[in-house]
Structure formats: C-alpha cells, structure tokens
C-alpha cells in the first residue's frame, strides 16, 4: 500500500453516471448458500477452482431475486445499468437516492423490502474512501532510461533483477527457467487513474512487453490523484512476472467499494483469465461499517472458490493503522480470505548473508496487529501464532484469539533500498524516475511471484495457488525453509515497542518473507485433501424431449439420494431457460426424497430444463441434466364478413380481412392464410402476415369463385425454433356472385 504526501479527501461525493447528472449506486447482494460458500472457500487453497457456471449456479442471486431488486429500485426511480456477480449497479436522479436511502444516505441502508437480500450499498454521500498505501521517495528529473540507473547508483534504489536475485526473493531462478508468469494474468484494484505513458516508459527501459488493459468500474475514474499508486503496482508486478499474458487495471471511483470491484473481477474471469489480484488500498478497521466489511468478505470468498489469489498490502502505519491510538489494522488486509502482505527492509548492499528487518523508518512501517472483526481462522497456526499479544484486543466475532496480520512480508522500503518507479503525474511532482515503496510495493511484488509459481506448478502437475493462506501456513510448518524468518525490529511508530519481530510468526512480518523457488516447488508438490462432503445423486424425469400443446400441464419429478438413502426436506430447483432468459422453481423433497414441480402456462416457448440440488455444509451439490420441451402454440381465426342465414358471407372477387391471434403471443412471426373449396383436398396459400406486439395478425384476401370455402391460418415452426408448427381451426365461409 502506497504512502503519498497528498491523500484523497475523507469525504467522497456521490458517484454519477458518465455524461449525466444521475447518481449511481451499487447494491452488493448476499450470496445464496452462504455457509457452503464459506466452507468451499476455506478449503480452496491449491485446488482446482469452481467453474464460472458453477459459481453462478451456487452463489449468485437467482433471476427471481434480481427481479425483486430491480422492481424495488424501479419503484424508487432507479434503473439497472450493470450486473457483475453479486453487485447490481443502478442509476437514478439524486432525488431518487434520497427517497430510496434517506436524506442522510447512510452507508448500508437499503430499501426496507430488500433487507434480506442486500449486504451493502455503495455510491452514497459521506463514505470514507479507501486510501492508497504507497510511499514516495527520492526523485530524479532524468527523462531517459538512464534515470533508473541513476537512482540505483546514487540513491540506492533496487533494480528488479536485484529483488529477484538469490539474495532477494529468488524469482530470477524461475524467470530464467522460463517460469515468468506465462499463462497467467493479474488484476489490479485501483481507485485512481494514471498515465499509461509512465508504464510504457518503464516497460521500454526494462524490456517488458506485458499488455495492459484498463477496465472501468462504475463508470471509471478520470482523476489521477494517486497515479503513483497505480504506476508502482503495475510496474512492480510486471517486472516480477515479465511473461504475463495480461495485466488488467480495474479503475473505480472513490465512492465504489472493494467488494464491487472484486465482484467485477471475479465475474469477468472467464474472459480475462485472472487468477491473481493485487490490492494496495485499504482503510483502518475502525472506520469500516460492518455491512461493508461483510460484503468484502463475501467477495473474497467468491474469489477463493474461483481459484484467485488476493494479495493485499497490510498498510503503512505500523501497529496504528488509523494513525492514532488505539492499536488497529487495515481492511481488507485483515480479512480472513485475503493474504496480507506486510513490509520489510531488505539489505542487499552489505557484506555477509542477506539481512532483512521489519520496515520502520521515516516513511512509515509495515502494518500488522490484531483484527477487531475476525476470529483466528483455523488455518492460521504454527510457531509464534499464539503469542503474548494474541488476545490483547477483543475481536467482534470471537471470545478467544483473533485474526492476526500480516501473513507474509516483502521489501517495502521507500528511500534507499526502495523500488525504482517511473511516474510523471501530479502526485509524482511530474518528475519521472523516483523511488517508492510501502506495502503498496510488497503486495504487487508478491502477486508477480505468485504468477511465476502458478506457471511452475501447472507445468509440474500441480494447481494454481488460489486462496493462499492455508497453503502458506501449512508450508510454514512443514517446510520452513521456504520463508526467511524476520527477527529484527518492530512496527511501532510510537514508543510502546509493538509489535516486535520474533522467531516464527510475529505481528510485524507474519511468517516472514518468501523464497519464490521454494514456494513454487512446494505448490507443485501440494496435494490438499478433498472436502469431506457426502455425495448426492439427483434424478429427473421426463426423460427425453417432449412436445406439448401450450398450457398442457407437465410434471417434472425425481429423487434425491445420499449414500445412506433418500434425503428428505432438501431444496431442489427446477431451472429452465428459453429465449426470454432463465427462471427457476423451488420445491422440497418429501420423506422418500422425491420432488416434483408441475408447470403449464409457464412454458411459453422451447424450454430447456434441468434439476439442481445446491448442496449444504455436509452434502455435495448435484444436478440432473433434464431435457427440452417443445411448445405447440394456439392460433385463433376470424373473418371480417357479415353473417347471412347463419353463415359468414362475402362476394367472390371482393377483398375481405382475415384475422388471427396467437397464444402464447408469437411476436414478429409470419403466419399464412390458406383456403380451399369445400370438399377439395388441396389447400391454396393466399398470403403471409406478420404478428404484432400482441401476437395478432391480419390480411386482406380475395376468394375468386362463388361457393363454400374453408379457411385457416398456419405457422411454420420446428424443433430448431422457439415453437413447433401449428394451424388454427378451420372455418367455412360462403362466397356469392
């Protein structure tokens, strides 16, 4: 996290939709199957991730829930403009925001009808923005690439190769062997814009070619108030993983929440291929609302089950993350499903073995301490985890030991021994080459190392790291040589000495700094145990395609079983899709594990269905593939002719109008009028007509000869269309001379 001299105002104005006076608000929804999400997230370290389809099926809001939220927000004057996973983004007039969220627009206050669905609301007035965690150091005005070398020679800044050396973090061994992040992509969470020309200059000087793509969140952010942060993040990560497929910079306005940015990254993973996220922004826990913390926690769990590692700078204010007492830590670094990366000072310019101490100097100190929100996760174990400070702060969710921060640490020095960065934006004083640091540097450096290790692991039969913490702490206990134990210094910016570095885990540097080669080797060899979920089997009928007249009731049924027999009282969903979208119907299994759902007029066109059991904390999810229902629509018929002697009668050769209506409505479809003399076998086509918005059509026709005629309408469909072919009833009309 970057420490800068100019920090954003603590009051953020409401977000507005681009090019309008509308206010944009985002509702972070609660996940479905929250207990299952937490269980799978906690067990996702080093495992194959869930697919995006499975993620949506298990945890994203149902279409019915989305419809409920849209209806409630529409009633307040808002329209849906974007949807990413659990985040629904709406736009409306500022007056609508006051009507929906109250005059004060308090954070987390949603319309009463949505209380059970919404976790947090963002984009409102008075929300403290997240802060960057980068530190600006010495600068040089040298415009050419020689400026980077000048900073190394005169100010002692570290070149990327030095940080990657055996005395540093060893990732040059991976890079030189071809494991340089190829096949991996990193996403950066940013709440400021930047100058792409700065990163282009950095890439040119160090021979890098990683593609960079900016991705706007909630309309993006044109301001470059913390451009140094963005430049430091991207330049540090791509220098550590020079073979990356792509770097995605997600740029959000200051009113956006961490949760909504993470949700968008996870939702877009199928197209971006992101498996590593670097975060260098945060806020001390005491300034965070419980709703915002909860929404971020859910977003991090979704990232975990999607196989994404989230590396977060732990802050630059040492043990006082708020800048003043009491002791505090930074969110989201303190979140149990984030990997908090603290700060060290790495000495490579002295004789003897490498020396690394707690980062604590005039620029700041590595964030670390005890969370007030979270109890100690089960995976946070090992020598030193339980220490004299462990229970020093009561945490909200546990009467015992609390979550401890950081997890690992890397170099965060900003002055001598800092990171060489190129930045010409205003907060960089338009200088160009400069030194920077903070845990804003250690987090993206760790992100680059993880990308290298992921490539190595996959090439040697292993998985990507994914949610890192369980693997890191288990490796810390099993193969301590992967980490460099930091035993010198403390992270106190005051005089209380908290928290000192000690042997083993400590609240200043976590389990220490990481050796990239050892990390990659351990990851490739890792074989995490499978989740202990009991298998389930779901069956569904009818088997095979069905063709049914519209409105005919069809009963879908099946049975849910576990290893010991039928499962009663479990929720099963019948899910169906057609060209209008996705819908689902909920039912509960009976005493014998059977389920059934009967649908009639709900099936309006070609309907692909399946049955799904979403699982529980003890049982695995399962699904039955189902099949397809083809619908035969109904056509009406009418003739605009007078009734003479009980029969509709017209004059041969004189036009009259034929009408039809369809059920369900065949909108924009072609229907055809046919006719034949009474008693004839062959029908003659009189001409087509197009159905309108109400599913109705009409056409002027002419019957050439006197006599009795039969009339009908026909629609040509088929198995590949939305409807099957159908014909209206036949009517008889009389033509006179």
């Amino acid at each position: 996290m970057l420490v800068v001299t100019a920090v954003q105002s603590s009051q953020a104005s409401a977000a507005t939709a681009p090019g309008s006076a509308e206010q944009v608000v985002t509702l972070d929804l609660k996940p479905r199957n929250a207990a299952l999400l937490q269980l799978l997230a906690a067990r996702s370290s080093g495992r194959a991730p869930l697919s995006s389809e499975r993620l949506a099926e298990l945890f994203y809001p149902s279409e019915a829930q989305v419809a409920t939220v849209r209806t409630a927000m529409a009633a307040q004057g808002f329209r849906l403009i974007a949807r990413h996973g659990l985040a629904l983004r709406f736009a409306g007039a500022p007056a609508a925001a006051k009507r929906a969220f109250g005059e004060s627009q308090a954070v987390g206050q949603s319309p009463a009808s949505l209380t059970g669905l919404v976790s947090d609301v963002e984009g409102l007035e008075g929300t403290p923005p997240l802060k960057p965690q980068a530190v600006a150091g010495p600068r040089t005005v040298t415009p050419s690439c020689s400026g980077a070398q000048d900073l190394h020679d005169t100010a002692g800044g570290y070149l990327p190769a030095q940080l990657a050396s055996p005395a540093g973090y060893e990732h040059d061994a991976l890079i030189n062997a071809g494991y340089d992040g190829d096949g991996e992509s990193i996403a950066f969470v940013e709440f400021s814009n930047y100058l792409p020309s700065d990163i282009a200059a950095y890439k040119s000087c160090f021979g890098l070619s990683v593609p960079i793509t900016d991705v706007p969140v909630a309309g993006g952010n044109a301001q470059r108030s913390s451009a140094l942060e963005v430049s430091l993040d991207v330049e540090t990560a791509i220098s550590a993983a020079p073979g990356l497929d792509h770097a995605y910079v997600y740029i959000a306005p200051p009113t956006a929440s961490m949760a909504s940015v993470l949700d968008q990254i996870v939702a877009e993973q199928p197209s971006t291929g992101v498996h590593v996220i670097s975060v260098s922004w945060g806020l001390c826990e005491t300034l965070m609302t419980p709703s915002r913390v909860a929404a971020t926690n859910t977003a991090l769990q979704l990232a975990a089950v999607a196989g994404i590692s989230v590396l977060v700078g732990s802050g630059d204010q040492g043990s006082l993350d708020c800048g003043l007492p009491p002791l505090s830590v930074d969110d989201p670094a303190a979140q149990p499903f984030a990997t908090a990366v603290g700060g060290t000072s790495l000495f490579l310019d002295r004789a003897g073995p490498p020396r690394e101490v707690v980062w604590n100097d005039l620029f700041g100190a590595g964030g670390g301490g005890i969370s007030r929100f979270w109890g100690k996760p089960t995976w946070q174990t090992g020598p030193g985890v339980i220490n004299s400070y462990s229970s020093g702060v009561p945490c909200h969710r546990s009467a015992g030991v609390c979550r401890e921060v950081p997890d690992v640490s890397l170099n965060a020095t900003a002055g001598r021994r800092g990171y060489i960065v190129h930045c010409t934006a205003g907060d960089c004083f338009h200088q160009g080459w400069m030194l920077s640091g903070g845990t804003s540097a250690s987090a993206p450096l760790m992100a680059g190392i993880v990308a290298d290790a992921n490539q190595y692991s996959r090439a040697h039969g292993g998985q990507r790291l994914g949610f890192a913490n369980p693997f890191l702490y288990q490796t810390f206990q099993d193969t301590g040589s992967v980490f460099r134990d930091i035993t010198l210094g403390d992270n106190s910016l005051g005089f209380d000495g908290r928290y000192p570095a000690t042997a083993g885990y400590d609240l200043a540097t976590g389990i220490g700094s990481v050796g990239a080669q050892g990390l990659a080797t351990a990851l490739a060899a890792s074989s995490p145990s499978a989740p202990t979920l009991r298998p389930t089997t779901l069956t569904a009928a009818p088997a095979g395609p069905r063709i049914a007249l519209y409105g005919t009731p069809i009963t879908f049924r099946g049975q849910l079983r576990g290893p010991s027999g039928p499962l009663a009282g479990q929720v099963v969903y019948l899910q169906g899709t057609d060209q209008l979208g996705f819908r689902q119907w909920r039912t509960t299994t009976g005493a014998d594990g059977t389920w059934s759902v009967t649908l009639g007029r709900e099936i309006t066109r070609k309907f692909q269905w399946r049955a799904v059991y979403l699982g529980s904390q003890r049982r695995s999810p399962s699904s039955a593939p189902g099949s397809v229902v083809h619908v035969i629509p109904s056509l009406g018929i009418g003739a605009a002719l007078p009734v003479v002697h009980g029969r509709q009668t017209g004059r041969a050769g004189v036009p009259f109008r034929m009408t039809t209506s369809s059920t369900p409505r065949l909108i924009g479809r072609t229907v055809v009028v046919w006719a034949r003399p009474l008693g004839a076998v062959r029908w003659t086509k009189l001409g087509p007509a197009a159905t309108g918005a109400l599913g109705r059509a009409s056409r002027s026709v002419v019957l050439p000869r006197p006599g009795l005629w039969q009339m009908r309408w026909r629609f040509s469909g088929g198995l590949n269309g939305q409807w099957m072919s159908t014909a209206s009833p036949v009517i008889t009309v009389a033509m006179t001379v």
Side-chain angles (χ1 to χ4, degrees), residues 244-499:
L244 282 175
D245 283 8
H246 221 104
Y248 294 92
V249 185
Y250 281 77
I251 302 175
T255 49
S257 73
M258 183 64 64
S260 66
V261 184
L262 294 173
D263 278 338
Q264 183 167 336
I265 294 173
V266 173
E268 294 177 348
Q269 186 198 38
S271 60
T272 63
V274 164
H275 285 91
V276 183
I277 298 175
S278 177
V279 181
S280 296
W281 298 72
L283 200 63
C284 72
E285 278 189 327
T286 56
L287 297 181
M288 300 293 295
T289 63
S291 61
R292 186 137 299 183
V293 170
T296 302
N297 181 249
T298 298
L300 289 166
Q301 290 180 30
L302 287 170
V305 298
I308 300 175
S309 306
V310 184
L311 296 313
V312 184
S314 67
D316 302 325
Q317 298 295 318
S319 57
L320 300 176
D321 192 70
C322 293
L324 296 169
L327 297 166
S328 56
V329 293
D330 206 75
D331 182 273
Q335 294 266 355
F337 290 96
T339 299
V341 186
T344 68
S345 290
L346 177 66
F347 291 81
L348 297 177
D349 52 356
R350 60 185 294 277
R355 179 180 178 223
E356 200 165 3
V357 304
V358 180
W359 171 49
N360 190 338
D361 57 26
L362 294 176
F363 294 100
I370 300 167
S371 171
R372 293 176 178 270
F373 280 117
W374 306 105
K376 184 178 76 66
T378 56
W379 44 257
Q380 192 164 37
T381 58
V385 169
I386 303 299
N387 53 68
S388 60
Y389 301 103
S390 293
S391 300
V393 178
C395 50
H396 174 67
R397 301 200 175 196
S398 174
V401 178
C402 309
R403 160 79 162 126
E404 298 177 353
V405 178
D407 298 305
V408 294
S409 293
L410 296 175
N411 185 54
T413 304
R416 184 173 181 83
R417 308 179 188 89
Y419 292 73
I420 297 173
V421 179
H422 191 274
C423 179
T424 58
D427 66 323
C428 306
F429 306 99
H430 308 288
Q431 293 298 309
W433 292 103
M434 61 187 298
L435 294 184
S436 185
T439 58
S440 274
S442 55
L445 177 59
M446 186 67 187
I449 290 173
V450 168
D452 298 339
N454 280 349
Q455 183 191 358
Y456 178 92
S457 178
R458 290 186 296 111
H460 291 79
Q463 296 286 345
R464 291 183 170 95
L465 178 59
F467 174 40
N469 294 349
F471 171 80
L472 293 175
Y473 281 87
Q474 189 61 54
T475 305
F476 168 56
Q477 297 175 72
D478 296 343
T479 315
S481 59
V482 171
F483 304 95
R484 180 183 294 151
D485 195 6
I486 313 300
T487 59
L488 296 175
D490 62 63
N491 69 343
S492 172
L493 291 176
F495 302 97
D496 61 358
R498 298 188 188 184
Y499 292 99

Side-chain angles (χ1 to χ4, degrees), residues 14 41 431 440 506 513 527 543:
Q431 293 298 309
S440 274
D506 57 68
S513 63
S527 299

Side-chain angles (χ1 to χ4, degrees), residues 42-248:
R43 296 176 175 178
S44 62
S45 189
R47 281 199 185 88
L50 294 182
S51 67
S52 58
E53 294 80 10
R54 199 67 169 147
L55 204 68
E57 177 183 282
L58 290 173
F59 308 120
Y60 287 170
S62 68
E63 293 303 312
Q65 290 173 324
V66 173
T68 297
V69 176
R70 291 184 69 169
T71 300
M73 292 297 286
Q76 302 293 338
F78 281 91
R79 72 184 192 284
L80 183 67
I81 58 173
R83 176 180 174 184
H84 299 287
L86 295 178
L88 302 183
R89 190 160 292 120
F90 294 85
K98 292 182 179 180
R99 191 166 56 245
F101 305 105
E103 287 293 327
S104 63
Q105 297 191 21
V107 175
Q109 176 184 329
S110 61
S113 61
L114 301 180
T115 301
L117 293 175
V118 176
S119 174
D120 188 37
V121 181
E122 64 181 74
L124 305 179
E125 298 283 356
T127 306
L130 299 176
K131 297 187 299 183
Q133 297 176 330
V135 181
R139 303 178 296 278
T140 176
V141 295
T142 307
S144 66
C145 292
S146 62
Q149 188 66 44
D150 290 344
L151 281 175
H152 168 67
D153 295 340
T154 62
Y158 286 149
L159 297 168
Q162 291 178 280
L163 292 168
S165 69
Y169 301 116
E170 304 178 357
H171 45 292
D172 64 347
L174 294 176
I175 294 172
N176 293 337
Y179 305 109
D180 55 4
D182 183 28
E184 301 294 314
S185 294
I186 297 178
F188 300 88
V189 175
E190 306 293 353
F191 295 87
S192 170
N193 215 313
Y194 69 106
L195 290 172
S197 58
D198 285 332
I199 295 177
Y202 184 92
K203 288 167 60 177
S204 175
C205 287
F206 289 102
L208 303 171
S209 58
V210 177
I212 313 291
T213 297
D214 296 343
V215 183
V217 178
N221 186 352
Q223 301 300 313
R224 294 193 290 266
S225 55
S226 297
L228 173 58
E229 175 65 75
V230 188
S231 297
L232 174 62
D233 290 349
V234 177
E235 292 170 10
T236 300
I238 64 175
S239 65
L244 282 175
D245 283 8
H246 221 104
Y248 294 92

